[in-house]
Amino acid sequence: MRMLRSICQLAFHQQTFQTLLKVRPIFQPLFVRCKYVQNSGVKGMKGRKFEINKEPEEAKYDESASNDDDDLFDDSEYNYIANSTMNTTKNILNIQNVVVLQPFIKWGPRKATTKPELALQEAEALIRSIPTWTVEHSEKVPLESLDKQYLFGKGKLKELKNLIQGLRSNGQPVTCVFVSKSTLTYRQKQNLQATFGVPVIDRYSIVIQIMRLHATSMEAKLQVAMAELPYIWSQVKDVDDQITKNVRFSLSDVQKQMLKDREKKLKNELERVRRHRGRLRKNRQNFPIVAVVGYTNAGKTSLIKALTDEQRLEPKDQLFATLDVTAHAGLLPSNLKVIYMDTVGFMSEIPTGLIECFVATLEDAMLADIIIHVHDVSHENYVEQRKHVELTLQSLLENSSNEDRERLFSNIINVGNKCDLIETDDFDQWTEVEKLQLISSKTLTGINGLMEEVEQKILLATNRKRITMRVAMGGEESVWLYKNTAVTEVVGDPNNEQKCLMTVIITEAKLQQFRHIFVVGK
């Protein structure tokens, strides 16, 4: 039956489809012993380490998934539709020589706050994030509106067409044009492709392509697959709204139903991911959670490595290098164990709906006890990046209660990373005016102070107390306290050599449990 369906699909489109490598959405059981050693350069932490048994975040979320889910990643008809709407292919390592165009509004209420030069730099960085893609030419293009059918005016359109032809005649291979606009309508893309003679891609499409490259776990692949669908539906709507016979791409009712069925399947799979994440959170409920968020490539993973000294972490100087929300254990100066959650980076000029497709894993950040917002203070566009992350967080919390929103935003630590790349004379501006905790994940500058601030925030957010107890030396009470609390100091009782004074950080629930076992129960 499957073979017959494939033959019908081939006949319907009258072209050959490339079949992708089958990837089963099933995770095999995998348990490893992970060691987390606190950085010896951090005050009060030298020589301290602890080990935990950890099931990787990307490990199995449900081993009972149906074999029919193979179709999510090996569906030739869907691949044809996705490639037609995005002008990209699943072969993310194909060679592309790209002309980058950065349109910007010259004046008026729609004028962007980001300088066109900085926006162009980011657009070039997006292209260079794919190893086999190169920038052949890039330029800024001033516009009065982003809504024209050809996007550019007639004069500029002719100029760009001649530019591309000139590059080709000079031996520079131009295989596609990247228009760094959030999304282009289907009509705009078709008009520009007819003019330039090469495929045209927009910002949403290139980000999806980068995410495909970095999606290694099944969770990430499912979420990237889900993120493709809003774009495809918007392009289909654009086609349906056009009253013209010159549309090269349209979907039958059967194909639209296929997209709806795919969306339903993906939502079911992502609900499994969400439930799996919920079970993992329950296993971590005795540990305070610190979510690390920020603009893409701000140094979130580098900061977590500095805080935990986890050697297996390999930060990359790439956009969207992190797609999975992963957990990393660390020790605070008080010996309190915490878990840092690494998250997917945010970026401007991308519909929030794309990031919302990662909500199954971003919930870990939204439900954290505190958030570290990492800013790249060496970046000239730092202020706008900061605003975008804050707006994205607000959007993701739109359906949360007022109490949850207030709790989360009152427990954010703003960290200025990469301070080693700015002039020391500017430090006062960042610390006093911008209210940032300046640090460098590379040189470890400011890490001690950050850990102390994290500790203070954690104690307040989780209602933990620092108290001193008099217990028997080596007795059951001290054994219990070592197991269930963070022991910060132990000294002998000057009045009784059989006793010791233990200073611990303890939750209210554990304190009541201690009293029930050792005070009331005796």
Side-chain angles (χ1 to χ4, degrees):
M1 179 63 71
R2 180 171 292 183
M3 182 179 294
L4 179 60
R5 185 181 65 180
S6 298
I7 293 173
C8 293
Q9 290 172 356
L10 290 172
F12 182 81
H13 295 295
Q14 296 182 349
Q15 58 182 301
T16 303
F17 300 114
Q18 181 181 6
T19 302
L20 302 179
L21 179 65
K22 288 191 175 182
V23 184
R24 289 177 51 123
I26 302 176
F27 298 115
Q28 299 302 320
L30 176 63
F31 296 90
V32 297
R33 184 79 169 174
C34 296
K35 180 183 289 186
Y36 301 86
V37 184
Q38 192 52 261
N39 192 294
S40 59
V42 178
K43 180 180 177 182
M45 301 303 294
K46 187 173 183 178
R48 295 185 181 183
K49 63 183 180 180
F50 72 93
E51 297 179 349
I52 63 172
N53 285 320
K54 180 175 183 291
E55 181 182 354
E57 295 295 311
E58 66 273 15
K60 59 182 182 66
Y61 67 90
D62 192 338
E63 295 184 60
S64 62
S66 168
N67 291 338
D68 291 339
D69 291 337
D70 287 352
D71 291 342
L72 290 174
F73 301 98
D74 186 13
D75 188 331
S76 55
E77 183 171 0
Y78 169 76
N79 292 337
Y80 166 73
I81 294 172
N83 295 344
S84 298
T85 54
M86 292 189 179
N87 280 338
T88 59
T89 69
K90 295 282 185 176
N91 181 15
I92 46 186
L93 296 180
N94 61 354
I95 296 174
Q96 295 288 348
N97 304 93
V98 188
V99 169
V100 179
L101 303 178
Q102 180 60 59
F104 67 95
I105 301 293
K106 294 183 288 186
W107 55 71
R110 297 184 66 183
K111 180 181 178 181
T113 53
T114 300
K115 295 179 181 178
E117 295 79 9
L118 298 177
L120 181 61
Q121 289 176 16
E122 188 171 87
E124 293 175 356
L126 281 169
I127 295 300
R128 295 192 178 102
S129 294
I130 303 178
T132 55
W133 290 33
T134 57
V135 177
E136 292 295 329
H137 175 83
S138 65
E139 68 173 75
K140 310 181 298 292
V141 184
L143 300 174
E144 295 180 359
S145 169
L146 296 172
D147 302 322
K148 294 181 178 179
Q149 291 185 15
Y150 282 81
L151 190 62
F152 309 108
K154 291 182 179 180
K156 192 63 181 181
L157 197 65
K158 183 177 180 180
E159 180 184 327
L160 292 172
K161 179 181 178 180
N162 292 336
L163 168 70
I164 294 171
Q165 290 176 345
L167 290 171
R168 285 179 151 180
S169 62
N170 291 331
Q172 290 181 259
V174 176
T175 58
C176 71
V177 173
F178 170 39
V179 179
S180 186
K181 178 179 180 289
S182 177
T183 55
L184 294 169
T185 67
Y186 188 80
R187 173 174 286 185
Q188 285 176 327
K189 283 197 297 186
Q190 290 299 306
N191 290 340
L192 292 175
Q193 285 171 180
T195 302
F196 299 148
V198 293
V200 174
I201 55 179
D202 54 24
R203 203 170 170 94
Y204 198 115
S205 298
I206 194 66
V207 168
I208 287 292
Q209 196 77 340
I210 295 170
M211 287 181 169
R212 287 173 177 173
L213 179 65
H214 294 153
T216 55
S217 75
M218 188 55 62
E219 291 182 2
K221 290 177 181 178
L222 285 169
Q223 291 174 111
V224 172
M226 189 67 185
E228 295 173 4
L229 290 175
Y231 184 86
I232 293 173
W233 280 119
S234 70
Q235 297 290 294
V236 171
K237 184 178 183 301
D238 289 341
V239 172
D240 291 344
D241 290 344
Q242 292 182 30
I243 306 175
T244 176
K245 296 181 180 179
N246 297 323
V247 176
R248 299 180 183 178
F249 170 79
S250 62
L251 297 184
S252 66
D253 291 339
V254 173
Q255 290 171 313
K256 290 178 181 179
Q257 185 60 48
M258 180 271 292
L259 285 179
K260 292 177 182 177
D261 293 341
R262 179 182 178 85
E263 186 170 4
K264 183 178 180 181
K265 278 186 178 181
L266 285 170
K267 286 181 177 179
N268 289 337
E269 290 297 318
L270 289 173
E271 183 57 34
R272 289 180 181 176
V273 171
R274 176 176 280 179
R275 290 197 298 268
H276 173 63
R277 288 276 172 177
R279 290 192 292 270
L280 290 176
R281 280 196 296 273
K282 286 184 179 179
N283 293 336
R284 298 191 300 257
Q285 61 185 357
N286 292 328
F287 300 99
I289 306 298
V290 181
V292 182
V293 305
Y295 205 80
T296 183
N297 210 30
K300 298 181 292 297
T301 304
S302 298
L303 175 57
I304 291 176
K305 185 171 185 177
L307 291 169
T308 63
D309 196 30
E310 188 176 333
Q311 296 303 316
R312 72 184 179 92
L313 276 176
E314 298 181 2
K316 299 177 181 178
D317 186 18
Q318 294 178 338
L319 303 180
F320 299 106
T322 300
L323 289 185
D324 292 294
V325 174
T326 53
H328 309 272
L331 281 171
L332 295 177
S334 64
N335 207 30
L336 180 63
K337 300 172 185 178
V338 298
I339 294 179
Y340 296 97
M341 305 298 297
D342 200 0
T343 63
V344 61
F346 303 146
M347 177 176 266
S348 63
E349 277 297 302
I350 294 176
T352 307
L354 190 153
I355 297 297
E356 287 176 348
C357 292
F358 289 78
V359 71
T361 48
L362 280 173
E363 272 187 343
D364 288 314
M366 300 300 100
L367 297 174
D369 295 302
I370 69 170
I371 287 179
I372 296 178
H373 179 181
V374 185
H375 313 263
D376 178 1
V377 293
S378 70
H379 198 286
E380 189 177 348
N381 203 34
Y382 142 75
V383 175
E384 293 305 317
Q385 291 181 353
R386 175 179 185 169
K387 290 179 181 177
H388 176 74
V389 172
E390 291 172 347
L391 288 172
T392 304
L393 287 174
Q394 291 174 6
S395 175
L396 291 172
L397 289 168
E398 188 175 355
N399 296 324
S400 301
S401 66
N402 291 334
E403 183 180 352
D404 286 341
R405 285 197 295 270
E406 290 176 6
R407 176 192 63 81
L408 198 64
F409 282 102
S410 64
N411 289 318
I412 292 180
I413 300 176
N414 287 296
V415 172
N417 193 23
K418 306 184 185 181
C419 71
D420 54 307
L421 301 180
I422 63 175
E423 298 294 333
T424 55
D425 294 341
D426 297 333
F427 275 27
D428 289 343
Q429 172 195 346
W430 299 110
T431 56
E432 296 177 12
V433 180
E434 300 292 343
K435 306 299 182 184
L436 292 178
Q437 177 90 20
L438 286 183
I439 61 104
S440 169
S441 300
K442 183 178 180 180
T443 65
L444 302 185
T445 300
I447 294 297
N448 289 341
L450 175 58
M451 293 183 75
E452 290 171 0
E453 185 172 355
V454 168
E455 183 171 289
Q456 293 303 315
K457 284 275 189 183
I458 283 291
L459 294 182
L460 290 173
T462 63
N463 196 28
R464 279 174 164 80
K465 299 177 180 179
R466 190 192 302 268
I467 61 177
T468 300
M469 298 183 179
R470 178 182 288 107
V471 297
M473 190 82 72
E476 293 180 357
E477 295 97 329
S478 62
V479 172
W480 190 94
L481 289 172
Y482 272 114
K483 183 178 180 180
N484 293 278
T485 71
V487 179
T488 62
E489 186 181 29
V490 180
V491 296
D493 186 349
N495 301 318
N496 187 341
E497 61 182 16
Q498 301 297 321
K499 301 283 187 178
C500 65
L501 301 176
M502 296 184 68
T503 301
V504 301
I505 294 177
I506 188 170
T507 64
E508 182 62 31
K510 288 295 181 181
L511 180 59
Q512 294 303 324
Q513 187 179 354
F514 178 86
R515 288 171 175 167
H516 178 74
I517 297 173
F518 299 106
V519 180
V520 179
K522 288 191 174 181

